[in-house]
Amino acid sequence: MSEGSTVGIVLVSHSKEVAAAVAALATGLAGGRAAPVAPAGGTPDGGLGTSSELIAEAAASVDGGAGVAVLVDLGSAVLTVKALLAEGDELPDATRLIDAPFLEGAVAAVVTASAGGDLDAVEAAASEAYGYRKV
């Protein structure tokens, strides 16, 4: 990890608009100086789906050397990120697929990364969002 760098967050959704909105919400709730966050939603032509190219570009854009946490919304987004990780050279070193609810996990991940948490802390915070009870 580079000294002074923060974990980058990539939010992968089947929808460009959903990824951008979740990124805006998480960044806004983190307040102040938020960790780098990049949405990777939809296909390059703006349709619904996921794109390995958009995910790789987003990961590269937030990589500061402290690791990249990737949160996804639905099934094929998981498969696309797993395929990129398996290829080994498409994503920055220390990129990790995080098992977490998309919105709540994104907020927890961005807040934790913005507070200087390392990749393990970001993963733990995002994963703990599965336990949030609303009633």
Side-chain angles (χ1 to χ4, degrees), residues 37-61:
V37 179
T43 59
D45 65 358
L48 295 176
T50 56
S51 161
S52 58
E53 293 81 17
L54 292 178
I55 296 166
E57 289 173 11
S61 76

Side-chain angles (χ1 to χ4, degrees), residues 50-106:
T50 56
S51 161
S52 58
E53 293 81 17
L54 292 178
I55 296 166
E57 289 173 11
S61 76
V62 299
D63 179 30
V68 176
V70 181
L71 287 88
V72 300
D73 63 356
L74 300 169
S76 65
V78 175
L79 298 175
T80 302
V81 174
K82 283 184 174 180
L84 286 168
L85 289 168
E87 290 176 19
D89 61 349
E90 297 295 322
L91 298 174
D93 291 339
T95 297
R96 194 178 297 173
L97 175 61
I98 306 297
D99 184 17
F102 191 59
L103 175 58
E104 292 89 342

Side-chain angles (χ1 to χ4, degrees), residues 99-125:
D99 184 17
F102 191 59
L103 175 58
E104 292 89 342
V107 172
V110 173
V111 168
T112 302
S114 299
D118 64 12
L119 188 55
D120 288 337
V122 169
E123 180 176 23

